[in-house]
Amino acid sequence: MSDYLLHEISYQKTPELVFSFLKKLPWAQLLDSGSFSNQNSRYDIMVADPLVSFTVSRGTVQITHKNQPATYSKAAIFELIKQQLKRKTVQIDELPFNGGALGYFGYDLFSENSLSHETTDIGAIPDLAVGIYDWTVITDHLKQKSFFFSQTDNDQSQALLQQIKAYLITGAIYDDTPLAIEKLHTDTDRTSYTKAFKRIQQYLLDGDCYQINYARCFFAKHTGSAWASYRLLRKNNPVPFGAYLNFPFAKILCASPERFLKLEDNKVETRPIKGTRPRGKNAEKDDLLKHALSDSTKDRAENLMIVDLLRNDLGKTCKIGSIKTPELFKVESYPTVHHLVSTVTGELDDGNTALDLLFHCFPGGSVTGAPKKRAMEIISELEKNRRSIYCGSIGYISYSGNMDTNIAIRTMTVNENKLNFWAGGAIVADSEADQEFQETRDKARPFFDLLNVSE
């Protein structure tokens, strides 16, 4: 008997059927490519039932080994995860993820400024939730193949494989009732937004920052199924870096178009988004909006500020002279918006790991502003709620050392009978309050449509 188990299963055009089975298991998580098959996103990755799970709340780490009581620690969470990733493992080159760490890193995880006395925690979920997994189901949409992989070939992994194969033949995706709400609330209406906007403009004028990313939160009581709504979300708003995370404390629905950090064979890539226009109601209007974004001096300047910030962040862990910008100001179109996207690359320096790279770049500059530290202080001062998972990151770090993570924008948290989601945008010196306020509505559109509401 071999040490590992790699078995090809029937190709899954969407992850919905497999995950309908896996979500019954503890800590089931789905990283969803939206069935894209390009260089930026081609894999669906599904895991459940971790060997170890970590959560972090206000600096305290909860560690839970399978079938054992939880323990608590004040140790540095990334060091704890690093220790888990040192396990002796099998590497399968054709799979992007060979088991390892998978979960989310909340925006406030390392922020000394996230506990402002004026800031509340509307989401009330941990600042981090990461599992260590020794098996996975992966679909490669470019090759149109799906696999079950386990680091160990034993009775348990064989039994799980047989259960998955049986479910693919006889199982069903239950047509649950999607999420529904009576009234959508926001922590920042137009009047409050305009007041904060003016304060930000003063900070910009005073030279505190060049750019500040300001966001507002939407929330509501709800009924219905988060999983049913996620299936609608991925159908109506396919993106390359989506996710559905099924934790005992919350369900996370993510429709992010933005890659944060990818690390493969020591090659680093980040693809910041900065610059947005809504989609037009007809082809002519849509094309005009797309070209307006491409030609916008303001949006290009915002994008370039973040590119420079990320080049600086990558410089903390990448080899000197390796950082390049192969692509600037590319327009990418999604169902509700056009985005301006750039690409920055580098080569990880000797002695650094994926977690070192993530730590020194976190949170992503595209969702803070520049310079990052001062922008985050101003965000903490002006925003009324901790961002929680919003503007953090969701993704994996494989036992192999490879990593792929998103920026957790277009992300909804659903727990008990409450849900919340955010929308924001970059404010610079020549921004206009009404346009920036409307941009938050444009970015929230996928969730407005999902819930059949408007602001």
Side-chain angles (χ1 to χ4, degrees):
M1 182 176 287
S2 61
D3 293 333
Y4 67 93
L5 175 59
L6 176 63
H7 187 90
E8 186 172 350
I9 60 176
S10 60
Y11 171 61
Q12 302 299 300
K13 292 182 179 179
T14 81
E16 296 179 37
L17 184 57
V18 177
F19 200 75
S20 289
F21 170 75
L22 294 183
K23 74 182 186 68
K24 303 171 186 176
L25 301 176
W27 275 58
Q29 301 190 68
L30 160 65
L31 304 184
D32 186 354
S33 69
S35 300
F36 286 83
S37 58
N38 56 46
Q39 72 275 16
N40 293 322
S41 184
R42 60 188 262 197
Y43 300 101
D44 297 335
I45 300 175
M46 289 166 271
V47 296
D49 197 17
L51 297 171
V52 187
S53 63
F54 296 99
T55 60
V56 177
S57 297
R58 299 293 207 261
T60 298
V61 184
Q62 178 177 306
I63 309 164
T64 307
H65 292 263
K66 188 185 292 189
N67 302 322
Q68 295 182 23
T71 59
Y72 297 87
S73 173
K74 287 290 187 179
I77 181 58
F78 276 21
E79 292 304 314
L80 294 174
I81 296 174
K82 279 183 184 180
Q83 291 300 316
Q84 292 293 326
L85 294 177
K86 290 179 179 179
R87 298 170 184 266
K88 185 178 180 181
T89 57
V90 176
Q91 309 304 330
I92 306 297
D93 291 340
E94 63 184 304
L95 301 181
F97 179 70
N98 293 284
L102 194 151
Y104 75 79
F105 307 85
Y107 171 88
D108 304 293
L109 181 60
F110 302 120
S111 175
E112 297 175 358
N113 307 301
S114 64
L115 304 181
S116 166
H117 68 279
E118 298 177 359
T119 305
T120 57
D121 191 356
I122 196 169
I125 65 171
D127 295 321
L128 170 147
V130 170
I132 305 297
Y133 298 88
D134 64 345
W135 63 264
T136 179
V137 177
I138 295 178
T139 291
D140 181 341
H141 290 292
L142 187 62
K143 295 183 177 180
Q144 297 193 344
K145 292 184 176 182
S146 297
F147 301 92
F148 174 86
F149 172 73
S150 175
Q151 284 286 340
T152 55
D153 185 357
N154 55 24
D155 291 344
Q156 288 180 321
S157 57
Q158 287 282 355
L160 179 58
L161 171 60
Q162 296 308 316
Q163 290 170 5
I164 291 170
K165 290 172 68 176
Y167 197 84
L168 293 179
I169 297 171
T170 62
I173 305 170
Y174 295 104
D175 190 19
D176 299 325
T177 303
L179 294 168
I181 64 173
E182 290 186 3
K183 182 176 177 56
L184 185 67
H185 305 273
T186 180
D187 65 356
T188 308
D189 60 15
R190 184 183 290 273
T191 300
S192 299
Y193 186 92
T194 302
K195 181 179 178 181
F197 179 90
K198 291 178 179 178
R199 183 71 178 127
I200 289 170
Q201 286 295 313
Q202 189 60 51
Y203 278 126
L204 296 171
L205 183 64
D206 291 343
D208 284 58
C209 287
Y210 308 110
Q211 179 182 148
I212 298 170
N213 195 91
Y214 180 62
R216 57 198 189 109
C217 183
F218 301 88
F219 55 95
K221 292 183 178 181
H222 74 84
T223 58
S225 164
W227 174 236
S229 282
Y230 180 75
R231 300 200 319 270
L232 288 174
L233 182 65
R234 73 177 307 279
K235 176 183 177 182
N236 297 328
N237 196 65
V239 293
F241 303 105
Y244 183 84
L245 314 183
N246 197 51
F247 296 117
F249 53 81
K251 319 301 180 190
I252 310 296
L253 294 68
C254 180
S256 174
E258 183 171 358
R259 167 172 281 149
F260 180 27
L261 292 167
K262 180 181 181 181
L263 175 65
E264 185 175 7
D265 299 328
N266 280 344
K267 300 295 189 294
V268 180
E269 178 186 86
T270 182
R271 302 187 75 248
I273 288 175
K274 193 55 62 184
T276 304
R277 292 292 187 280
R279 297 299 301 264
K281 294 182 179 180
N282 55 55
E284 182 180 3
K285 179 65 173 176
D286 193 60
D287 196 52
L288 286 171
L289 288 165
K290 183 177 180 178
H291 282 91
L293 176 60
S294 179
D295 296 339
S296 169
T297 302
K298 171 183 174 293
D299 287 291
R300 283 173 172 250
E302 288 181 17
N303 193 288
L304 189 59
M305 289 178 198
I306 302 307
V307 166
D308 287 342
L309 187 157
L310 284 166
R311 287 173 58 89
N312 180 69
D313 281 352
L314 292 185
K316 298 170 185 175
T317 53
C318 287
K319 291 181 178 179
I320 295 173
S322 71
I323 299 170
K324 311 293 182 185
T325 310
E327 194 171 62
L328 275 173
F329 316 140
K330 178 184 178 183
V331 177
E332 293 185 351
S333 299
Y334 296 91
T336 59
V337 291
H338 300 292
H339 280 314
L340 206 60
V341 186
S342 293
T343 302
V344 185
T345 61
E347 184 176 353
L348 197 65
D349 205 353
D350 297 339
N352 287 317
T353 69
L355 284 163
D356 297 320
L357 173 66
L358 182 62
F359 178 81
H360 286 289
C361 293
F362 194 86
S366 65
V367 291
T368 61
K372 183 187 288 187
K373 184 176 186 297
R374 183 61 180 131
M376 291 178 69
E377 290 172 350
I378 295 168
I379 288 167
S380 177
E381 173 195 333
L382 296 178
E383 291 184 358
K384 296 181 176 65
N385 285 285
R386 297 175 84 238
R387 288 183 170 185
S388 189
I389 189 173
Y390 173 70
C391 289
S393 187
I394 298 170
Y396 69 79
I397 303 148
S398 180
Y399 285 127
S400 67
N402 291 342
M403 172 175 70
D404 205 358
T405 58
N406 74 4
I407 295 286
I409 52 176
R410 320 292 143 78
T411 299
M412 177 186 287
T413 300
V414 181
N415 54 3
E416 297 178 355
N417 67 336
K418 295 187 298 183
L419 62 81
N420 65 81
F421 58 94
W422 296 70
I427 297 174
V428 293
D430 55 351
S431 295
E432 296 181 11
D434 287 346
Q435 291 180 358
E436 297 297 335
F437 186 79
Q438 182 58 43
E439 183 174 312
T440 67
R441 287 175 162 173
D442 295 337
K443 290 177 175 176
R445 179 61 53 195
F447 291 128
F448 289 169
D449 292 345
L450 186 69
L451 299 171
N452 294 311
V453 296
S454 59
E455 187 184 11

